Amino acid sequence: MRNFIQPGNSLAIAVPYATGVSAGQGVLVGALFGVAAVDGVQNAMIEAQTMGVFDLTKEPALAIGAGVRVFWDNTNRRITATAAGNFQVGIATQAALAADATVRVWLNRVPAAGA
């Protein structure tokens, strides 16, 4: 097909954060969420994985069950189970205990409950 560009598993994005981003951290640009493949300073173009399963930093003291929809808290740059004010990024593939620093997330923009 002549107009095919790429599969979209990763995309080049500009780092939106003043403190930059490290490889493996989540990054949100508008409605596009991905996991940084490399370190980058603010406004640098980096590759971000938009598909796959990743261990991402989660809200401290929060237990998340397997199969739970998870959201990106862009202010604190971490995964949460709180929908209000946050951006849905996927589903937890494994349970994470409150003491865990990360949660395993399948990046999947699923519709809101009941949609």
Side-chain angles (χ1 to χ4, degrees):
M1 182 181 313
R2 290 180 181 224
N3 58 346
F4 178 80
I5 305 298
Q6 67 173 3
N9 296 342
S10 71
L11 297 171
I13 60 170
V15 175
Y17 308 119
T19 56
V21 67
S22 296
Q25 291 182 323
V27 60
L28 180 65
V29 176
L32 176 64
F33 180 81
V35 176
V38 296
D39 297 348
V41 297
Q42 186 175 31
N43 298 322
M45 294 301 291
I46 64 163
E47 282 293 312
Q49 289 294 125
T50 58
M51 302 173 81
V53 179
F54 299 88
D55 287 332
L56 297 173
T57 302
K58 71 169 188 64
E59 181 180 338
L62 175 67
I64 299 175
V68 171
R69 294 170 192 255
V70 293
F71 304 83
W72 183 249
D73 170 355
N74 203 43
T75 300
N76 296 299
R77 295 169 57 182
R78 63 189 182 201
I79 295 294
T80 182
T82 303
N86 297 311
F87 184 80
Q88 186 169 328
V89 295
I91 299 171
T93 64
Q94 295 179 356
L97 302 174
D100 293 339
T102 63
V103 60
R104 187 154 293 167
V105 176
W106 171 40
L107 298 185
N108 179 18
R109 295 282 309 279
V110 292

